[in-house]
Amino acid sequence: MTRIAAAAGAGGDPVPCLSWPVMRLLRLFSPVHAIKDFVAYVRGREKHEYWFLLLSIGITMVIGWGFVHDSHFERAYKREIIYVESWPANRSDAEIIAQQQIDLAKERAATAEFERERAKRQAEWKRIDNQLRSWGI
């Protein structure tokens, strides 16, 4: 009986047995062979190549550390409590409109403050950009 017939079982579709070629291929991959291959590669290198390897790894690690260090910043903890106002269901339209006018003035003041802060940050970055351009960067 062939492998395909044995794998097919009793009247099922023939399924090829893949374990033998896979196992034969996996025999070629082992930690011992990998270590021997690495040692043979290392023995074939010159001394200056090791120094350049260390230098390139060091530069890469410094750049990576710089990105990680620069991306972290502490956010100031700001306790935010939201108070909910309870309004009677029988308020008049005039009371509702008056409250909306008060809320609108507060919202406009908050938006203006936000825009001032944004313009300030934008001016700081613009100064940095101009300085870098003057240096040719």
Side-chain angles (χ1 to χ4, degrees), residues 60-96:
T60 304
M61 291 186 73
V62 166
I63 290 172
W65 175 82
F67 277 113
V68 169
H69 180 71
D70 187 49
S71 67
H72 177 72
F73 60 93
E74 293 287 332
R75 293 183 186 215
Y77 176 73
K78 181 180 175 185
R79 188 172 178 184
E80 185 175 342
I81 300 174
I82 300 173
Y83 295 98
V84 178
E85 296 183 35
S86 178
W87 298 99
N90 59 356
R91 287 190 304 163
S92 68
D93 286 344
E95 291 174 338
I96 295 172

Side-chain angles (χ1 to χ4, degrees), residues 14-119:
V15 178
C17 183
L18 296 177
S19 65
W20 186 74
V22 171
M23 293 306 294
R24 188 171 163 194
L25 181 65
L26 287 178
R27 263 192 343 202
L28 302 175
F29 300 104
S30 74
V32 174
H33 289 287
I35 292 170
K36 286 181 181 179
D37 188 38
F38 178 72
V39 168
Y41 174 76
V42 169
R43 284 185 181 156
R45 303 290 105 197
E46 297 291 329
K47 186 176 180 180
H48 71 278
E49 291 177 321
Y50 293 122
W51 290 112
F52 279 114
L53 174 67
L54 289 175
L55 180 66
S56 65
I57 290 172
I59 290 172
T60 304
M61 291 186 73
V62 166
I63 290 172
W65 175 82
F67 277 113
V68 169
H69 180 71
D70 187 49
S71 67
H72 177 72
F73 60 93
E74 293 287 332
R75 293 183 186 215
Y77 176 73
K78 181 180 175 185
R79 188 172 178 184
E80 185 175 342
I81 300 174
I82 300 173
Y83 295 98
V84 178
E85 296 183 35
S86 178
W87 298 99
N90 59 356
R91 287 190 304 163
S92 68
D93 286 344
E95 291 174 338
I96 295 172
I97 292 171
Q99 185 60 44
Q100 287 176 342
Q101 293 298 326
I102 294 169
D103 293 341
L104 182 62
K106 290 178 183 177
E107 184 180 345
R108 285 182 179 162
T111 302
E113 177 65 25
F114 175 76
E115 289 297 325
R116 270 195 306 278
E117 290 294 323
R118 190 178 65 79

Side-chain angles (χ1 to χ4, degrees), residues 1-17:
M1 182 183 298
T2 65
R3 275 191 220 156
I4 294 175
D13 292 331
V15 178
C17 183

